[in-house]
Amino acid sequence: GSISLSDRLQANGHGSGNGGSISLASASTADMTLNNVDVWANSGLSGGNGGTVSVKNTKGTINVNNASSIRVTALASNGNGGTVDVSAGSSAGQGGVTLTSGSDMEADAGLTSGDGGKITITYYSNNPAVAINTDQGTVHADGPNGFIEFKNASLAELRVSGDNTEISARDGRVTFVNPDGNVTAHLIQDAGPLVVGQVDATGVSVRLEFEGTDNLTIGNVIATSDAFIRILGGDISSANLTTIDTPLL
């Protein structure tokens, strides 16, 4: 079976008010699925900061599908992006995260000033087939200090893949964290920009592959262990690579 949500949940700020807080939680081994649903805690239209959205399934997978959106963006000229925390699985039950079919997570700063927000996507799995999948999905935390983090809470490999995806923390950071295991990330954009800020990766071994046929913007890529890094794109604007130890073959 599965737990499925559809329609709209909103805790947006009013006027210059801050966004509110939304929490969705399950302890079922069934999948938690957001299907064409908007979960928004944006700022007000004339000011304020983005709010907080938490989506957790402690024993199973989380699917964000079919043009669903999770947004904690500052909608006015000034304001900070909010916080999105998506967490699937635990030692009590394994689970991955999918963000597919035109779905998005956004925590952008205001149009002219403010800090980007924080988006954390965590899963727990020892099964390589259960991971983070962002096919045709978008993850944005644009603005200074914006932060996107991908994690596997188990000791197994962190795997992140996405085809026709957009990962963007312009002026911020995108991190892949698995200090006790390996890290593999393969992100592709065939028809538009694959934009990231500084990329940090922590793992026993790290393999990062970013491909963009139209436009690919990469900040600093830092891997703190044995690493293989491959960057292909029509327009690579800043690819400063720093690795420690011997690159993998």
Side-chain angles (χ1 to χ4, degrees), residues 38-239:
D38 297 329
V39 183
W40 294 353
N42 297 314
S43 76
L45 294 177
S46 58
N49 303 320
T52 301
V53 172
S54 172
V55 182
K56 297 187 177 184
N57 186 1
T58 57
K59 294 183 180 179
T61 288
I62 295 173
N63 302 308
V64 184
N65 297 336
N66 194 21
S68 294
S69 62
I70 299 174
R71 298 180 184 175
V72 291
T73 286
L75 298 179
S77 296
N78 307 311
N80 302 325
T83 300
V84 173
D85 184 9
V86 176
S87 178
S90 68
S91 59
Q94 300 187 55
V97 177
T98 67
L99 177 72
T100 59
S101 303
S103 298
D104 64 75
M105 299 181 189
E106 295 185 1
D108 293 341
L111 297 176
T112 59
S113 68
D115 286 340
K118 179 177 181 180
I119 298 176
T120 302
I121 303 175
T122 306
Y123 75 105
Y124 187 105
S125 175
N126 297 312
N127 181 353
V130 179
I132 297 173
N133 177 9
T134 64
D135 284 354
Q136 299 180 35
T138 299
V139 184
H140 271 203
D142 287 340
N145 300 311
F147 187 73
I148 298 171
E149 183 174 56
F150 299 98
K151 299 169 60 177
N152 185 353
S154 78
L155 298 179
E157 181 177 21
L158 165 63
R159 299 181 64 87
V160 181
S161 64
D163 193 355
N164 286 326
T165 192
E166 184 175 328
I167 309 296
S168 181
R170 196 184 301 272
D171 299 322
R173 290 189 298 148
V174 178
T175 69
F176 302 88
V177 180
N178 195 20
D180 297 316
N182 298 334
V183 173
T184 298
H186 189 189
L187 303 173
I188 303 172
Q189 177 52 271
D190 293 331
L194 170 61
V195 182
V196 300
Q198 174 175 311
V199 179
D200 299 335
T202 303
V204 175
S205 68
V206 174
R207 184 181 184 94
L208 303 177
E209 297 185 77
F210 303 103
E211 301 180 31
T213 57
D214 179 46
N215 183 36
L216 178 63
T217 303
I218 300 288
N220 295 322
V221 178
I222 302 172
T224 60
S225 62
D226 292 344
F228 170 88
I229 300 172
R230 177 172 175 259
I231 300 175
L232 297 173
D235 177 16
I236 302 176
S237 63
S238 181

